[in-house]
Amino acid sequence: MYLLPNTTTITKSTMPHPQQPHAILEGLCKEQSLALAPEMVDKLVEYGRLLEEWNNKINLISRKEDAPIIIKHIFHSLLITQHHTFQTGEKVLDLGTGGGLPGIPLAIIAPQATFLLVDATGKKITACQEMIATLKLTNVTARHLRVEELHGETFHTIVSRQVALLNKLCAYGEPLLHEKGKLICLKGGSLEQEIKQSLEASQKHHGFPARVEEHPIDEVSPIFSEKKIVIAYR
Ligand SMILES: C[S@@+](CC[C@H](N)C(=O)[O-])C[C@H]1O[C@@H](n2cnc3c(N)ncnc32)[C@H](O)[C@@H]1O
């Protein structure tokens, strides 16, 4: 059993057929006033299929079947757009992308921005490159490297999902962020101590973060009851 946004309880008999990820995604996006072109929905659903296929070969996402990939991983990534509007020409770094989360779903719905996905694990980046090619996405590239090795490039925005403590993400991100750039993370659990530590350590990172916002997303769906969007500002 899993729960759709707000109130609907899904049991085995009423569970959406696996063929219905389009309908699930469209319903969730509509509830959040996130308007997506039909081609975007098609690509997001196709990405979900590819992610599942790759996940059978290499470990990209958890194999727990507590909620469909289209909700737990893809729609979850899209929730960043509740707190950030991607601009034309914006350069975005996905730090520790794994199988392309949140970078690939965001690149699909924000073709006006360019995305660089990096990860320390080579086989995950190979999977991302194959998925990007299959989806024919031209605004996203994936590179196998540790983020500490990335030099000489700056980004307007860094996104990151379930990678490291905020303090560490800020240390990695600060040299790579534009003057007015921000770091947007998808995180879980109690973050009070983690945020406090990152603010206390900001002196070591040229004052970054000067401010941190924490946005719970449990109202979107009980699936995200432990999840938050955390934004670190300069
Ligand atoms: C728990 S996985 C999360 C992957 C993806 N963001 C997601 O939500 O499914 C963390 C990923 O961060 C990557 N990672 C950890 N530290 C890194 C670093 N310093 N540079 C690049 N990638 C890193 C790991 O290789 C791993 O793939």
Side-chain angles (χ1 to χ4, degrees), residues 29-43:
C29 289
K30 202 170 162 201
E31 283 202 24
Q32 298 308 312
S33 308
L34 176 60
L36 297 183
E39 315 82 77
M40 291 177 181
V41 177
D42 289 346
K43 287 210 172 181

Side-chain angles (χ1 to χ4, degrees), residues 163-198:
V163 174
L165 292 174
L166 187 60
N167 191 11
K168 204 160 200 185
L169 293 173
C170 288
Y172 290 150
E174 192 278 328
L176 300 169
L177 265 183
H178 263 257
E179 213 177 309
K180 291 201 170 153
K182 58 188 173 182
L183 166 70
I184 309 175
C185 317
L186 292 166
K187 285 188 155 287
S190 168
L191 300 169
E192 198 180 329
Q193 197 57 24
E194 191 177 325
I195 291 174
K196 191 166 167 261
Q197 276 169 2
S198 74

Side-chain angles (χ1 to χ4, degrees), residues 7-234:
T7 51
T8 321
T9 303
I10 305 292
T11 60
K12 224 173 181 182
S13 59
T14 57
M15 191 144 150
H17 191 272
Q19 297 299 322
Q20 294 174 356
H22 277 84
I24 294 173
L25 185 61
E26 277 166 347
L28 289 164
C29 289
K30 202 170 162 201
E31 283 202 24
Q32 298 308 312
S33 308
L34 176 60
L36 297 183
E39 315 82 77
M40 291 177 181
V41 177
D42 289 346
K43 287 210 172 181
L44 290 164
V45 169
E46 175 66 355
Y47 169 59
R49 194 189 63 73
L50 294 169
L51 188 57
E52 193 166 13
E53 210 172 272
W54 273 98
N55 205 41
N56 291 329
K57 296 183 240 174
I58 58 171
N59 203 16
L60 294 175
I61 50 173
S62 122
R63 294 194 173 125
K64 262 202 288 176
E65 288 189 4
D66 50 350
I69 287 176
I70 199 77
I71 306 179
K72 188 175 167 185
H73 299 282
I74 298 178
F75 179 66
H76 183 218
S77 299
L78 300 183
L79 288 174
I80 284 179
T81 61
Q82 286 190 325
H83 298 281
H84 181 75
T85 304
F86 291 98
Q87 305 294 326
T88 301
E90 181 168 336
K91 283 181 70 186
V92 185
L93 173 69
D94 181 1
L95 193 171
T97 192
L101 296 161
I104 291 180
L106 292 173
I108 290 171
I109 69 159
Q112 71 279 19
T114 57
F115 292 76
L116 173 64
L117 319 182
V118 300
D119 200 283
T121 306
K123 61 188 177 182
K124 294 185 181 182
I125 288 298
T126 302
C128 285
Q129 288 166 339
E130 298 257 342
M131 289 189 278
I132 290 165
T134 306
L135 293 165
K136 296 187 172 56
L137 298 175
T138 54
N139 62 330
V140 52
T141 48
R143 279 163 66 185
H144 172 212
L145 47 78
R146 290 194 67 83
V147 71
E148 305 92 303
E149 299 160 359
L150 186 58
H151 301 293
E153 279 188 69
T154 52
F155 300 87
H156 299 100
T157 309
I158 299 178
V159 294
S160 191
R161 180 175 182 259
Q162 292 161 5
V163 174
L165 292 174
L166 187 60
N167 191 11
K168 204 160 200 185
L169 293 173
C170 288
Y172 290 150
E174 192 278 328
L176 300 169
L177 265 183
H178 263 257
E179 213 177 309
K180 291 201 170 153
K182 58 188 173 182
L183 166 70
I184 309 175
C185 317
L186 292 166
K187 285 188 155 287
S190 168
L191 300 169
E192 198 180 329
Q193 197 57 24
E194 191 177 325
I195 291 174
K196 191 166 167 261
Q197 276 169 2
S198 74
L199 288 166
E200 281 168 2
S202 66
Q203 306 292 15
K204 292 190 219 155
H205 314 127
H206 299 100
F208 180 67
R211 182 167 67 87
V212 177
E213 279 176 7
E214 201 185 345
H215 300 280
I217 50 173
D218 54 341
E219 281 190 1
V220 174
S221 163
I223 288 171
F224 307 126
S225 61
E226 298 281 301
K227 308 284 183 198
K228 286 180 184 140
I229 297 175
V230 176
I231 309 179
Y233 293 88
R234 279 202 183 274

